[in-house]
Amino acid sequence: MNPSYIGRFAPSPSGPLHRGSLVAALASYLDARAHDGQWLVRIEDVDEARTVPGAAEAILQCLGAFGMRWDGEVVWQSRRKALYEAAFARLGSHAYACGCTRREIADSRIGIASDGAAVYPGTCRLGLAAGKTARAWRLRVPEHADARVAFEDRWMGTVEQNLASEVGDFVLKRADGFWAYQLAVVVDDADQGVTDVVRGADLLDSTPRQIYLQRLLGVPTPRYLHVPVVTNAQGEKLSKQTGALALDWKKPLEELIAAARFLQLPVEGVRSLEEFWREAVAGWARRFK
């Protein structure tokens, strides 16, 4: 096994795996196996309000039924809060308390980020206004030329984002007390030694924020590969919110072939899971190794 490659699949247990999430899982698994590396599984249940009981267990059973074998123990974000607290403390004055409501931020009309969220106007940067109490904690992003974060994505090419104008100071700890995804994923990837992140392009917009956090915390930046997302007939990202159907465990080969076709992999004519994995890994290696 190649010790210099550690990849991961990190699903949220808000429901069963569907064809969109299978594409992301398949891509990350193939990249790890093509590089003879480790493939970790992490349950991203930091947002405990969205966790569906039994969903994580169902996800793990589904991965096993489809022939995806992970290395090491499964990690659960809900059990790692002390790590996030320690990282937050290391950020020091880069973090500050924010008393703004979502309505107040939306009403500022500064702009809308590519992920659909309102750009934060910096209202609480210099301290809470009179009568305001802390609701969330935000990370102060740099300004001017320092606000630009660029990276080379292995699928998408060069990606660049201006954190100040396109995102604004982003949340580290939410108003409901849960740690935000951006902080948790950076801490977890660093703690697990992840070298390569392969995931859906719906998270492409989050990557510059995560790279900036990595720099502040002094941890390595992984290589990134963002695969296109599967959409429904209306052009919406296939998700639980848009009515995506759960994968059919009784037809693992059929589901895997469909996901591989979406990733433009040559797997026509395979007749077994064993043959599928052999051909899919070889096909991925020819493109991305």
Side-chain angles (χ1 to χ4, degrees):
M1 182 170 287
N2 178 5
S4 64
Y5 184 107
I6 300 177
R8 49 71 160 181
F9 176 55
S12 299
S14 54
L17 292 181
H18 51 75
R19 289 190 174 182
S21 47
L22 177 60
V23 165
L26 178 60
S28 66
Y29 187 82
L30 292 177
D31 203 54
R33 295 300 176 241
H35 288 85
D36 194 29
Q38 296 182 59
W39 187 66
L40 311 179
V41 172
R42 180 169 71 230
I43 301 298
E44 294 200 332
D45 59 344
V46 67
D47 186 350
E48 297 177 55
R50 294 182 62 240
T51 297
V52 174
E57 291 76 11
I59 288 171
L60 296 177
Q61 290 173 8
C62 184
L63 292 175
F66 279 51
M68 298 186 193
R69 308 288 182 238
W70 56 87
D71 300 296
E73 296 184 358
V74 174
V75 165
W76 302 69
Q77 283 187 332
S78 59
R79 304 171 188 173
R80 299 166 64 80
K81 296 175 184 177
L83 289 176
Y84 310 143
E85 184 75 53
F88 176 76
R90 283 170 29 216
L91 291 170
S93 61
H94 291 286
Y96 65 89
C98 175
C100 299
T101 65
R102 288 186 179 181
R103 170 56 69 87
E104 289 169 337
I105 297 170
D107 286 347
S108 69
R109 292 181 169 80
I110 293 296
I112 301 296
S114 58
D115 61 0
V119 175
Y120 184 66
T123 308
C124 299
R125 259 191 165 219
L126 300 179
L128 294 170
K132 288 280 190 179
T133 57
R135 292 171 49 82
W137 285 84
R138 292 182 178 272
L139 185 73
R140 194 186 312 273
V141 301
E143 299 177 311
H144 310 302
D146 292 338
R148 293 196 172 276
V149 175
F151 68 98
E152 196 68 23
D153 188 83
R154 294 170 57 208
W155 186 298
M156 299 292 180
T158 302
V159 178
E160 184 176 299
Q161 185 181 76
N162 186 304
L163 292 176
S165 63
E166 297 179 59
V167 179
D169 299 341
F170 56 91
V171 172
L172 298 172
K173 193 171 189 179
R174 302 177 355 180
D176 57 14
F178 294 131
W179 293 104
Y181 164 76
Q182 307 295 354
L183 178 65
V185 72
V186 166
V187 171
D188 289 336
D189 284 343
D191 181 67
Q192 294 186 279
V194 171
T195 63
D196 288 78
V197 173
V198 178
R199 57 189 180 187
D202 53 316
L203 292 169
L204 187 66
D205 181 75
S206 288
T207 307
R209 277 172 272 183
Q210 293 168 17
I211 291 174
Y212 181 59
L213 263 174
Q214 289 157 3
R215 292 172 181 172
L216 290 179
L217 291 170
V219 299
T221 293
R223 294 195 305 169
Y224 288 96
L225 189 157
H226 290 83
V227 298
V229 296
V230 182
T231 57
N232 61 18
Q234 289 72 44
E236 303 167 318
K237 173 198 165 188
L238 201 61
S239 67
K240 303 170 185 76
Q241 289 72 33
T242 57
L245 299 177
L247 294 172
D248 188 345
W249 291 21
K250 296 180 181 179
K251 300 177 180 178
L253 184 58
E254 183 177 312
E255 296 278 22
L256 285 167
I257 288 175
R261 284 174 178 162
F262 181 82
L263 291 170
Q264 304 167 25
L265 292 173
V267 291
E268 303 302 327
V270 299
R271 299 182 181 278
S272 67
L273 283 179
E274 181 180 12
E275 186 181 4
F276 170 84
W277 288 117
R278 184 172 62 250
E279 294 299 320
V281 170
W284 186 274
R286 285 193 292 270
R287 288 176 60 190
F288 293 110
K289 190 171 180 181

